[in-house]
Amino acid sequence: MKTAVEIRRHFASDNYAGICPEAWAALAEANQGHAVSYGDDSWTARAADLIREVFETPCEVFFVFNGTAANSLSLASTGQSYHSVLCHEFAHVETDECGAPEFFSNGMKVLQVPGTNGKIDPAGIERMVKKRSDIHYPKPRAVSLTQATEVGTVYSVEEVKAIRAKTKPLGLTLHMDGARFANAVASLSVKPKAITWQAGVDVLCFGGTKNGTPVGDAVVFFNRDLAEEFDYRCKQAGQLCSKMRFLSAPWVGLLQDGAWLRNAVRANAMAQRLHDALKEIPEIKILFPTQANAVFADLPPHVIVALRQAGWKFYTFIGQGGCRLMCAWDTTEDDVDRFVADLKRLLSEAPKEISLRAADHRKL
Ligand SMILES: *Cc1c(COP(=O)(O)O)cnc(C)c1O
């Protein structure tokens, strides 16, 4: 009996996408014979070396299962349980990790800093640090930036340096959540080193999953002192993969001939195409500059419901709300055009008065 499987690409998340061909091929190649376990294998050594090549610097590299672990464990390594981490109010570490940074650091508090377009206002860092110096306040120890941000914007090199100009004199470690780091590099057309260690980033969580691996993100310590005993932290947290070659081999596939950047360039270009189509529609308001692979837009509520009834999946709860339309490495021009065509048809057809229950609005 044959089961019909609908092949469709959505705009909900770049983690809806599958494994890109380059990562898949490397995974298949790694699946031959035996290899040493727990990361002492040649695939893991090669993947770490490729990361060092990409960043053009010696750095310590660790592979973990996901971004939440990468962020939480790397932030934990920046200080003690009584310290705090400053991040933007929309930051994934604050809004989408179920308290994992606090949990894995045994209590470090995450404190929010405001800023437009999902980016931390550098002045806010100093305010948060200087507003209290007494023992009753969790002492700020690190700043976490998200690059690209949760609302699809990108910090320029100058903006990262402006953050560093605040963190450095205040003795704060600079952490970068790079779940979509590739999209930021593609967007800025800069060398990876220019927006990381050369701009003062101490540790980067380099996202692979949304860029085309099946699973697994990398923690890259440019400040190698922070990496001390990080292997123990990973193991204790259940993040040391015994068959590590299957986490690391897809990275070799992504990095060895530049697939990671090609994937990001495509995803960004599709978001731009979507943005350009949506901005022509008067009923739609674009909420943030489209600088990476996401478009955020306000759509009339009845159209959101109708689009979902037509089978499209997208989120409406990220950042300040609005619809988040996320493109992936495999999003095509045709996907974008079909979505836009459905949207236009539903805008003209859908009844004007649909009462929108909160449940419908939030349904993925
Ligand atoms: C997806 C994402 C992560 C990682 O999430 P996991 O589900 O734990 O892999 C981290 N930060 C940002 C900004 C993300 O979008």
Side-chain angles (χ1 to χ4, degrees):
M1 214 176 73
K2 241 175 107 188
T3 334
V5 179
E6 195 208 2
I7 309 274
R8 179 158 182 170
R9 284 175 292 268
H10 290 284
F11 294 91
S13 180
D14 29 8
N15 62 21
Y16 271 43
I19 305 166
C20 72
E22 294 85 351
W24 183 256
L27 200 51
E29 207 187 309
N31 192 31
Q32 296 192 19
H34 283 206
V36 184
S37 54
Y38 297 109
D40 291 327
D41 63 284
S42 58
W43 285 98
T44 304
R46 172 115 177 90
D49 281 344
L50 282 166
I51 288 180
R52 286 185 272 269
E53 270 175 40
V54 163
F55 290 99
E56 303 177 63
T57 188
C59 46
E60 295 286 341
V61 178
F62 299 84
F63 296 97
V64 295
F65 290 104
N66 59 29
T68 299
N71 281 334
S72 304
L73 297 174
S74 57
L75 285 170
S77 74
T78 65
Q80 302 291 333
S81 58
Y82 48 83
H83 285 131
S84 55
V85 175
L86 310 182
C87 67
H88 191 271
E89 55 193 324
F90 299 162
H92 198 271
V93 296
E94 159 65 16
T95 63
D96 286 295
E97 297 189 355
C98 196
E102 289 91 339
F103 177 79
F104 282 111
S105 62
N106 293 308
M108 250 185 202
K109 194 165 162 61
V110 174
L111 302 175
Q112 301 172 37
V113 182
T116 51
N117 292 332
K119 299 187 220 176
I120 290 180
D121 169 16
I125 295 173
E126 195 166 352
R127 254 196 326 271
M128 289 300 282
V129 174
K130 297 217 165 139
K131 76 175 189 183
R132 292 269 297 271
S133 58
D134 59 273
I135 205 168
H136 306 280
Y137 182 62
K139 191 172 190 224
R141 187 52 176 268
V143 168
S144 177
L145 300 183
T146 311
Q147 177 77 313
T149 74
E150 285 76 4
V151 295
T153 57
V154 170
Y155 286 91
S156 67
V157 174
E158 288 317 308
E159 286 171 327
V160 179
K161 286 184 175 165
I163 302 275
R164 189 255 306 264
K166 295 293 180 192
T167 56
K168 191 127 193 176
L170 294 166
L172 305 174
T173 298
L174 189 51
H175 169 272
M176 183 174 274
D177 173 354
R180 298 190 179 88
F181 182 74
N183 303 92
V185 173
S187 170
L188 293 167
S189 286
V190 292
K191 290 195 166 194
K193 65 181 175 186
I195 43 165
T196 53
W197 60 273
Q198 285 187 335
V201 173
D202 293 296
V203 53
L204 167 74
C205 295
F206 189 0
T209 315
K210 288 166 180 156
N211 189 241
T213 68
V215 61
D217 290 356
V219 180
V220 183
F221 288 99
F222 302 111
N223 175 347
R224 290 149 82 194
D225 294 343
L226 291 175
E228 203 187 320
E229 299 187 345
F230 193 72
D231 44 353
Y232 288 88
R233 224 180 253 291
C234 290
K235 175 66 191 183
Q236 186 185 47
Q239 289 290 326
L240 177 62
C241 181
S242 71
K243 289 189 176 178
M244 185 69 92
R245 65 178 145 149
F246 298 111
L247 275 195
S248 54
W251 277 96
V252 173
L254 274 187
L255 298 175
Q256 68 187 352
D257 73 346
W260 70 290
L261 272 181
R262 287 195 301 277
N263 287 351
V265 164
R266 159 148 290 269
N268 290 1
M270 291 304 100
Q272 202 55 56
R273 184 182 183 90
L274 183 56
H275 167 270
D276 292 349
L278 297 187
K279 84 172 189 324
E280 300 304 327
I281 304 175
E283 294 92 333
I284 293 179
K285 182 168 168 251
I286 307 279
L287 298 173
F288 299 102
T290 300
Q291 295 173 335
N293 58 327
V295 181
F296 280 75
D298 259 342
L299 268 52
H302 69 271
V303 174
I304 295 177
V305 173
L307 276 168
R308 285 182 171 151
Q309 280 167 353
W312 292 104
K313 294 189 192 296
F314 51 89
Y315 295 164
T316 46
F317 61 88
I318 315 267
Q320 284 164 327
C323 298
R324 185 188 78 166
L325 302 167
M326 183 64 81
C327 298
W329 63 267
D330 63 346
T331 304
T332 64
E333 285 82 355
D334 188 52
D335 297 329
V336 173
D337 297 348
R338 281 176 50 217
F339 179 83
V340 172
D342 272 2
L343 175 53
K344 285 182 173 164
R345 179 175 55 78
L346 293 165
L347 262 171
S348 61
E349 277 179 11
K352 296 281 177 279
E353 299 297 331
I354 285 185
S355 80
L356 186 67
R357 286 180 293 127
D360 284 335
H361 196 61
R362 284 185 64 95
K363 206 156 55 191
L364 309 182

